[in-house]
Amino acid sequence: MKRKLAFALCTALALHLGTGAAPVSALAQEKADLVTNAKAGQEQTLADKRPVIHPGGPRFGAYDPHGDFGDQTDVATEHLFLPWEDVDLESLRMADAYALQRKRKLLVTIEPWSWSLDWKLSPTQLRDRMLRGEYDANMEAIADMLAEMKSPVIVRWGQEMEDTSGRFSWAGWAPKDYVQAYKHAMDIVRKRVPNVQLMWSPKGLPNLGEYYPGDDYVDLVGLSVFGLEPYDAIEYGGPHTFKQALKPGYDLVAKYHKPIWVAEMGWQGSTTYMQPWIDAATQPDPDFPNLAEVVYFNDRDVHDWPHDLGRPNWRVVTDATN
């Protein structure tokens, strides 16, 4: 059965099209609203944990399937996740209209698989079929639709490729196979989409350099940076800050002299843990001179985290259900 796109084209976003709701100013977000826990003695919890937008700092974007950032005027980029098969490409027109109305770019992450468990291939099967050109038609169909978009388009293909945890079928391939596949996919995009920008997006692990496809195939570098309080307690013995989480990956990719994005970002934990992340994500920092934009992942994670921590809820409206 065909599965419709589950990115920022859901009903919540469609309802925002044409609405006259008052815009949310950056200043209105200077401090997140607090709601007092009904149980006396417990720490307050944040009702809205969206980042503070600092003038002069990195721009801000969001993957926002719930529309929580729909009326916020200081959002520069709308992030979409797109599997390359079992997908309704016509939905991209709605995404384009939504972004265009809000003067946002489109960051389109193309995941080279199906989101349907019935269609999943092993990493070896996916690699072999990709390298044989069996998915060229999928990429061509996506690229042809992106060519019709009126919003500026950034394409991010096969993210976090150096991760060997088994999360993604394309991650952990031999570097030469990944580089070949990445170049082939991006050649198809470049041929069909005028003025497209290409984002190479590792997770930020020490071996990421083995997967670098070369300067000619990278306009932007994207990293993934998440903060989960119980994970930090297990892995590091205490909380990590946004800067501590970003710096290892940033330092590894700075040598490429490309604009650097945090293409996926989120945080979850107590107010004491989250508030420094909220304040720091778009704060100008001389240690990150090439950090151009940070993009919040405004949804529950789709994968379980290590240490039996389940699927963290990164959504900024913490009293909402996903």
Side-chain angles (χ1 to χ4, degrees):
M1 181 177 180
K2 281 283 184 182
R3 173 176 178 171
K4 300 295 183 182
L5 287 179
F7 51 70
L9 302 183
C10 63
T11 303
L13 294 197
L15 291 174
H16 280 275
L17 286 168
T19 63
V24 179
S25 69
L27 293 178
Q29 301 305 326
E30 191 61 32
K31 288 295 178 184
D33 294 331
L34 294 176
V35 59
T36 304
N37 194 297
K39 295 181 180 180
Q42 290 192 358
E43 183 182 15
Q44 289 181 316
T45 58
L46 289 169
D48 194 327
K49 59 181 183 182
R50 73 188 66 212
V52 173
I53 310 301
H54 295 281
R59 295 181 299 274
F60 177 74
Y63 165 65
D64 188 29
H66 304 281
D68 296 327
F69 294 97
D71 295 321
Q72 190 164 323
T73 58
D74 45 21
V75 179
T77 301
E78 193 73 24
H79 191 181
L80 318 176
F81 286 83
L82 180 68
W84 73 359
E85 61 181 329
D86 191 27
V87 64
D88 179 11
L89 290 176
E90 287 294 322
S91 299
L92 282 169
R93 299 187 195 279
M94 188 187 301
D96 186 38
Y98 183 85
L100 197 65
Q101 186 181 76
R102 289 156 179 78
K103 300 181 173 64
R104 298 176 183 175
K105 304 182 295 296
L106 286 175
L107 170 59
V108 182
T109 292
I110 300 174
E111 298 187 328
W113 60 0
S114 168
W115 288 344
S116 170
L117 293 177
D118 295 335
W119 290 37
K120 285 288 176 66
L121 301 176
S122 71
T124 300
Q125 289 173 321
L126 178 61
R127 180 201 63 198
D128 291 347
R129 293 185 185 185
M130 172 68 185
L131 296 180
R132 287 197 299 263
E134 293 183 20
Y135 289 103
D136 287 5
N138 301 64
M139 283 301 302
E140 289 164 359
I142 293 171
D144 287 341
M145 184 62 71
L146 293 177
E148 299 181 20
M149 302 296 97
K150 297 178 181 178
S151 306
V153 175
I154 301 164
V155 171
R156 176 178 179 245
W157 187 91
Q159 73 276 19
E160 300 185 11
M161 73 298 297
E162 84 277 30
D163 181 16
T164 58
S165 69
R167 179 171 181 145
F168 297 124
S169 299
W170 60 87
W173 289 349
K176 64 178 181 60
D177 292 339
Y178 176 83
V179 169
Q180 181 182 347
Y182 174 94
K183 287 182 175 181
H184 185 65
M186 293 308 203
D187 281 339
I188 292 172
V189 172
R190 273 185 168 164
K191 184 177 180 179
R192 287 166 169 77
V193 188
N195 302 317
V196 70
Q197 286 191 295
L198 307 183
M199 178 181 286
W200 174 71
S201 193
K203 187 172 185 176
L205 301 178
N207 61 328
L208 64 82
E210 299 174 10
Y211 293 85
Y212 187 65
D215 291 346
D216 291 344
Y217 282 86
V218 179
D219 298 306
L220 309 166
V221 174
L223 296 169
S224 300
V225 176
F226 289 91
L228 182 62
E229 188 170 18
Y231 178 84
D232 287 2
I234 296 169
E235 289 288 321
Y236 313 118
H240 251 35
T241 64
F242 173 76
K243 184 168 186 173
Q244 287 173 313
L246 172 59
K247 187 170 175 53
Y250 182 96
D251 288 348
L252 288 169
V253 300
K255 64 184 178 184
Y256 301 124
H257 304 291
K258 304 286 186 177
I260 297 170
W261 288 36
V262 176
E264 296 184 38
M265 171 182 73
W267 41 78
Q268 179 58 25
S270 66
T271 297
T272 301
Y273 176 83
M274 291 190 295
Q275 194 64 56
W277 285 73
I278 291 168
D279 293 336
T282 73
Q283 179 71 48
D285 190 325
D287 288 338
F288 304 135
N290 294 331
L291 184 60
E293 187 158 340
V294 296
V295 182
Y296 197 89
F297 187 93
N298 190 40
D299 203 1
R300 184 178 293 277
D301 206 308
V302 296
H303 295 278
D304 289 337
W305 271 50
H307 311 302
D308 296 320
L309 294 176
R311 295 166 51 224
N313 187 0
W314 312 116
R315 188 174 175 188
V316 293
V317 182
T318 56
D319 60 349
T321 57
N322 290 345

